[in-house]
Amino acid sequence: MEKGFRLPNGTRIRLVEGDITRIPADAIANAANAALAGGAGVDGAIHRAGGPDILRELDEIRPRVGRLPAGQAVATGAGRLPARFVFHAVGPVYRDGRHGEAEALASCYRVCLEMAEERGCRSISFPAISTGVYGYPAEEAAPIATAEVRLFLESRAGSLREVIFVQFGEAAYRLYERLLGESGLQEAQD
């Protein structure tokens, strides 16, 4: 499944159900862990599909940054992925929603979008950061993700022309589809 939405300034948000490692984009956001050591879920899939070069780059970055705090990200090349960059964003572990989780999650999206602009990217894809093993309820995380992306695209006139939300599974896809549809964005016909 796939659907596109166009913002008034001509930028686009695309929603895809599928495997983020197979969707071409200039940059891919990775739901990384604080140790930047590879892991399960999206992180594991990105490392498997991208190959060992990504982890080698992280091995060089890790001594400089140590454990990366939630809401921050680092960039590597994309190895064998259909992208130029991977932005390894550390999402928050959900406790109860009253320990800064929302701001840390919003920061993940903002930081990755800023990194994309700094590198002249025209497109970036995002998974549903923190909604897997980190336990962030999708119904709470999705509005944060869509609002941050929309705010960024509406307030900047840079290189970024498309943001792709890649959802794993129909339920997640339908949640994002509903949120984007209710936001008043025009559905793209192309």
Side-chain angles (χ1 to χ4, degrees), residues 70-71 92 97 99-110 136 144 148:
H99 291 87
E101 295 100 319
E103 179 49 41
L105 183 61
S107 179
C108 285
Y109 289 92
R110 269 194 312 273
Y136 213 115
I144 294 168
E148 284 300 319

Side-chain angles (χ1 to χ4, degrees), residues 12-13 24 38 41 49 60 72 75 78 84 90 95 98 104 112 114-115 119 122 140 142 144 154 158 167 169 181:
R12 180 179 153 125
I13 296 174
E60 293 173 12
Q72 297 302 307
R84 295 182 353 216
V90 179
R95 291 166 59 188
R98 296 189 305 255
C112 287
E114 289 166 0
M115 291 170 73
R119 288 161 178 78
R122 295 188 54 76
E140 293 179 36
I144 294 168
E154 288 176 340
Q167 300 304 306

Side-chain angles (χ1 to χ4, degrees), residues 63-147:
R64 292 194 310 268
V65 300
R67 290 184 63 80
L68 201 62
Q72 297 302 307
V74 297
T76 65
R80 297 187 303 251
L81 295 167
R84 295 182 353 216
F85 305 103
V86 176
F87 301 148
H88 304 269
V90 179
V93 173
Y94 189 84
R95 291 166 59 188
D96 58 11
R98 296 189 305 255
H99 291 87
E101 295 100 319
E103 179 49 41
L105 183 61
S107 179
C108 285
Y109 289 92
R110 269 194 312 273
V111 166
C112 287
L113 291 163
E114 289 166 0
M115 291 170 73
E117 283 287 348
E118 289 167 4
R119 288 161 178 78
C121 295
R122 295 188 54 76
S123 60
I124 182 172
S125 62
F126 284 101
I129 297 172
S130 282
T131 62
V133 297
Y134 283 12
Y136 213 115
E139 299 77 21
E140 293 179 36
I144 294 168
T146 57

Side-chain angles (χ1 to χ4, degrees), residues 31-50:
N33 58 58
L36 300 173
V42 170
D43 195 20
I46 284 174
H47 282 281
R48 282 189 302 278

Side-chain angles (χ1 to χ4, degrees), residues 3-81:
K3 189 175 276 190
F5 298 88
R6 191 164 306 285
L7 282 74
N9 64 7
T11 57
R12 180 179 153 125
I13 296 174
R14 189 161 47 117
L15 175 61
V16 177
E17 180 191 8
D19 178 349
I20 197 166
T21 67
R22 295 172 184 244
I23 308 296
D26 289 335
I28 296 174
N30 178 21
N33 58 58
L36 300 173
V42 170
D43 195 20
I46 284 174
H47 282 281
R48 282 189 302 278
D53 290 345
I54 296 172
L55 195 54
R56 274 197 283 277
E57 283 188 62
L58 287 172
D59 288 342
E60 293 173 12
I61 293 169
R62 204 173 305 110
R64 292 194 310 268
V65 300
R67 290 184 63 80
L68 201 62
Q72 297 302 307
V74 297
T76 65
R80 297 187 303 251
L81 295 167

